């Protein structure tokens, strides 16, 4: 249980607590989900890796847009955040054709109203990153929407601001990560505004493997689905069982847990250019 705070929300693998009227505590657990099911086995330190990476990106992107991070707690998995009014749009940016983007393109030649060249292959790099917002579905899957539908959820000036900021954030992070052998194929941002509605802030977690598709650049080969940087051992193990992908999921053996933990730590170390051991000792070491 975290220091102070009443529980106000749960994500699949994270919890949210209210500290006071202005501040929330976002706590990342070590739970892992695959095929949309949370597994009974945890990945040690996964929550710390994700919190540390998110803090790293908030720090490095603060000149592009303000963000909700106020303080990183010494446990390495909890972030004190500015309480915002969240924008009711999932701000997805896609640099590569994968997931629902690939599905929509294969069916219609378009993704969220962006028409694309013919003949693109699964996982191919897009000519330029696309802003493909989706709705926050309470249950089930977020739904890709057109610009016109997005303009019914937020004002047109707000939509253009969200699009511009989202593309800038993605472009900055994707270029940085590519130099370190990680392709960020796509990512989801969540934004909020202060109570007066004056300022835009990047919220939630940002540019982590849970909010993005991370691919190992050395294995990239368009024309097929790409291996996941972080979850591929878990997926392969689950596929080998012939599990039907309904709850409850399988327990993971020790070697799958260890291999998966190592991949999360590797992503952290490649991107932050510092040892994860140092982060555990002093979480603020990811901040400049
Ligand atoms: C907020 N969520 C989603 C995330 C959960 C739920 N800075 C903020 N201010 C106000 N509200 C939110 C945030 C943020 N971030 C985020 N719901 C509300 C969410 C993680 C765990 F349980």
């Amino acid at each position: 249980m975290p220091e102070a705070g009443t529980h106000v929300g749960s994500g699949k693998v994270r919890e949210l607590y209210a500290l006071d009227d202005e501040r929330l505590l976002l706590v990342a657990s070590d739970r892992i989900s695959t095929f949309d099911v949370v597994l009974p086995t945890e990945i040690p330190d996964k929550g710390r890796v994700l919190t540390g990476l998110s803090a790293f990106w908030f720090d490095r992107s603060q000149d592009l847009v303000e963000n909700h991070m106020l303080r990183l707690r010494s446990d390495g998995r909890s972030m004190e955040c500015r309480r915002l009014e969240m924008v009711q749009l999932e701000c997805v940016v896609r640099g590569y054709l994968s997931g629902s983007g690939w599905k929509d393109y294969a069916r219609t030649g378009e993704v969220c109203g962006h028409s694309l060249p013919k003949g693109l292959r699964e996982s191919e790099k897009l000519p330029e990153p696309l802003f493909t917002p989706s709705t926050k579905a309470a249950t089930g899957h977020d739904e890709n929407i057109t610009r016109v539908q997005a303009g019914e959820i937020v004002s047109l000036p707000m939509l253009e601001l969200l699009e511009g900021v989202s593309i800038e954030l993605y472009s900055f992070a994707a270029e940085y990560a590519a130099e370190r052998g990680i392709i960020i194929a796509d990512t989801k941002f969540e934004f909020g505004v202060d109570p007066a509605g004056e300022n835009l802030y990047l919220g939630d977690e940002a540019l982590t493997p849970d909010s993005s598709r991370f691919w190992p650049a050395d294995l990239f080969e368009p024309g097929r689905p790409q291996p996941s940087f972080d979850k591929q051992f878990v997926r392969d193990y689950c596929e080998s069982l012939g599990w039907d992908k309904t709850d409850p999921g399988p327990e993971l053996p020790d070697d799958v847990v260890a291999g998966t933990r190592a991949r999360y730590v590797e992503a952290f170390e490649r991107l932050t250019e510092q040892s994860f051991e140092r982060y555990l000792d002093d979480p603020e070491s990811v901040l400049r």
Side-chain angles (χ1 to χ4, degrees), residues 110-185:
E110 293 187 9
V111 183
C112 290
H114 299 275
S115 60
L116 289 168
K118 285 185 184 160
L120 294 175
R121 295 164 291 171
E122 182 171 14
S123 308
E124 195 153 337
K125 188 175 189 181
L126 293 166
E128 57 196 355
L130 297 184
F131 181 63
T132 63
S134 60
T135 54
K136 298 188 190 197
T139 57
H141 274 120
D142 296 342
E143 204 181 304
N144 285 343
I145 56 175
T146 63
R147 168 171 205 84
V148 170
Q149 291 170 297
E152 292 164 5
I153 299 170
V154 298
S155 70
L156 205 52
M158 176 58 90
L159 184 61
E160 309 224 292
L161 179 63
L162 293 169
E163 172 166 28
V165 169
S166 296
I167 298 267
E168 276 197 73
L169 283 167
Y170 170 80
S171 300
F172 159 70
E175 183 176 327
Y176 177 94
E179 288 164 2
R180 290 153 185 84
I182 294 175
I183 294 174
I184 303 179

Side-chain angles (χ1 to χ4, degrees), residues 7-11 14-16 24 26 68 81-86 190 203-205:
H7 188 247
V8 294
S10 292
R14 297 176 303 154
E15 304 296 334
L16 197 56
L24 296 174
L26 198 47
H68 72 165
C81 300
R82 182 188 302 267
R83 206 168 185 164
L84 303 170
E85 288 175 17
M86 300 307 287
E190 297 205 25
D204 203 75
E205 64 178 319

